[in-house]
Structures are given as structure tokens and as C-alpha cells.
């Protein structure tokens, strides 16, 4: 299986406090991988390190594609929803890597934005202010912005947080479509109940990598206990409270 992301001996610290330690991880191409672990485990930090917005203390991250094409959907809390811009303009921002910041979008760029909005069922809202949308609608818009980047790797930080069940189902369906195109999707996730349903690959993280691999072999009661460091029955059968 071809590797999309290779992480070797990566350690990251905030104000001398270790957040990630000696991370070795290979993410295969064409998988939907969930990253799960307790609060403070370094899940979001791992995504930012892959993006190179955080510089590790040691080690290196290799994106094994010629153009190192990555699209990123941040946590909703990190976005200024009051910024006065429309749905269409937010998605068009995803094309700037192709257009260039000081050039005008071309006909194909407008076409890609329309197609992406259709894929996430948000085209009727293209002229709406982003701040006027519901949480689920906002998440769909940022997925569309990621889609128009035509990336090989998609990194999403808790995309299911604060959205309705219908939107969650639509996002998972979209992940499967992207995977069918050979793309790689990496998702920070917190609901352990849905891991076997949503993902085919999983990484259990708590500052260090506890285990990583196919869900059917890695997502076990023993590994969950090690990751969350709590009673195994509580961790495995009451996952929604973790």
C-alpha cells in the first residue's frame, strides 16, 4: 500500500511541555483515517504539524506527493464567523492556490466552486453571509472550500462537532466519494462509537501513538484502554462519555 504521509520521530512541545512525543506514523494513500484520543492528546497538534504550521522539536514530516497538495478544514471555534463574506467567496478562497492571490479567477475556477457547492448541497445558499448559516451548513461550506483545492490529502479537525445527524451522514458519504478517487482523508474524531462505521484506518493517540492501522485489527478494547488510561469496560462500552 502506497504511503501518503510519513512521520518520523516527531516531537512537539508548547512552552517546554511535550504535546507529541516520538511520533512515528505512516498514513496509507486512499484511506479514511480517524485520529482518536483524550483531550490534550495532541490530535489537533498532529494535524498542524503535518501542515507545517507548527515546527517540531525534532523529526520530520514527509508528504509523499509531488505537489504536496493538502486541504485543511479547521475546528469551527477557530473561524471568525462574523467576517462579512458570502458562501461563494469562502469557497472561492480554496482556489487561490491555483489562481494566485493577485489574479482574477477564471471561468474554470467559478465552475469548480459551483460544482463543490452542489456536492455539499449548499448551492442555493451561495449568496448568503457565512455567519447567517447554521453550524451544519457552515461545515458543509468549509468542506466545499477544501474540495475545490483538488488536493490529494484532506485534513479535518473534528468536522462532526456541533452538526446535525443529516449533515454528519452527508459528510461521511462525501468522504467515501473522495476516497473512491484515491484521495486520503485524515479526521480528528471524538465519538468512539462511530469509528468502525466511518473509518477504515485509525490512529489511537495520547501524546505518543498507542496503535495505528486497520480499524478491524487496531480498534480493540485493549488499545482503547491504553489510550484513555481508564477502566477498559468503561472506555469501550461508554465511549460517548469519553
Amino acid at each position: 500500500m502506497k504511503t501518503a504521509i510519513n512521520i518520523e520521530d516527531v516531537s512537539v512541545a508548547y512552552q517546554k511541555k511535550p504535546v507529541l512525543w516520538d511520533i512515528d506514523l505512516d498514513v496509507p494513500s486512499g484511506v479514511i483515517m480517524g485520529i482518536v484520543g483524550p483531550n490534550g492528546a495532541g490530535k489537533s497538534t498532529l494535524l498542524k504539524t503535518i501542515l507545517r504550521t507548527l515546527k517540531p522539536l525534532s523529526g520530520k514530516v514527509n508528504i509523499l506527493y509531488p505537489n504536496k497538495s493538502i486541504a485543511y478544514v479547521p475546528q469551527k471555534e477557530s473561524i471568525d464567523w462574523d467576517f462579512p463574506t458570502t458562501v461563494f467567496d469562502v469557497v472561492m478562497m480554496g482556489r487561490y492556490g491555483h489562481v494566485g492571490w493577485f489574479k482574477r479567477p477564471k471561468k474554470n475556477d467559478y465552475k469548480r466552486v459551483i460544482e463543490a457547492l452542489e456536492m455539499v448541497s449548499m448551492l442555493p445558499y451561495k449568496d448568503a453571509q457565512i455567519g447567517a448559516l447554521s453550524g451544519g451548513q457552515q461545515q458543509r461550506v468549509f468542506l466545499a472550500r477544501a474540495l475545490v483545492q483538488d488536493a490529494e490529502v484532506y485534513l479535518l479537525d473534528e468536522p462532526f462537532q456541533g452538526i446535525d445527524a443529516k449533515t454528519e451522514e452527508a459528510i461521511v458519504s462525501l468522504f467515501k466519494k473522495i476516497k473512491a478517487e484515491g484521495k486520503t482523508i485524515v479526521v480528528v474524531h471524538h465519538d468512539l462509537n462511530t469509528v468502525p462505521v466511518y473509518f477504515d484506518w485509525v490512529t489511537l493517540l495520547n501524546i505518543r501513538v498507542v496503535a495505528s492501522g486497520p480499524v478491524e485489527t487496531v480498534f480493540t478494547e485493549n488499545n482503547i484502554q491504553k489510550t484513555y488510561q481508564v477502566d477498559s469496560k468503561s472506555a469501550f462500552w461508554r465511549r460517548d462519555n469519553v
Side-chain angles (χ1 to χ4, degrees), residues 56-181:
L57 292 174
S58 61
K60 59 182 180 179
V61 176
N62 301 305
I63 309 300
L64 303 178
Y65 286 98
N67 60 358
K68 298 183 180 179
S69 176
I70 301 178
Y72 174 56
V73 178
Q75 287 188 14
K76 290 174 60 180
E77 288 78 5
S78 65
I79 299 167
D80 181 7
W81 298 110
D82 294 324
F83 188 79
T85 188
T86 66
V87 165
F88 190 92
D89 289 340
V90 168
V91 180
M92 182 60 80
M93 291 175 189
R95 293 297 298 170
Y96 288 169
H98 299 270
V99 177
W101 285 96
F102 302 105
K103 296 181 181 179
R104 295 181 64 85
K106 297 180 181 179
K107 184 177 180 179
N108 182 61
D109 299 307
Y110 285 96
K111 179 183 177 182
R112 291 290 293 113
V113 171
I114 294 296
E115 290 173 346
L117 286 171
E118 286 180 332
M119 286 184 69
V120 299
S121 302
M122 286 300 295
L123 186 57
Y125 300 88
K126 66 181 179 66
D127 297 320
Q129 290 290 315
I130 190 69
L133 302 180
S134 69
Q137 290 171 330
Q138 291 170 340
Q139 195 66 279
R140 288 175 186 244
V141 171
F142 271 78
L143 279 170
R145 189 182 72 163
L147 289 173
V148 299
Q149 296 178 48
D150 296 328
E152 294 293 339
V153 177
Y154 293 83
L155 307 179
L156 302 100
D157 199 346
E158 297 203 30
F160 304 118
Q161 186 177 22
I163 65 173
D164 57 276
K166 183 178 179 181
T167 298
E168 189 161 326
E169 182 180 335
I171 291 173
V172 173
S173 177
L174 185 59
F175 287 170
K176 292 178 180 178
K177 289 180 182 178
I178 297 172
K179 176 190 171 182
E181 298 173 356

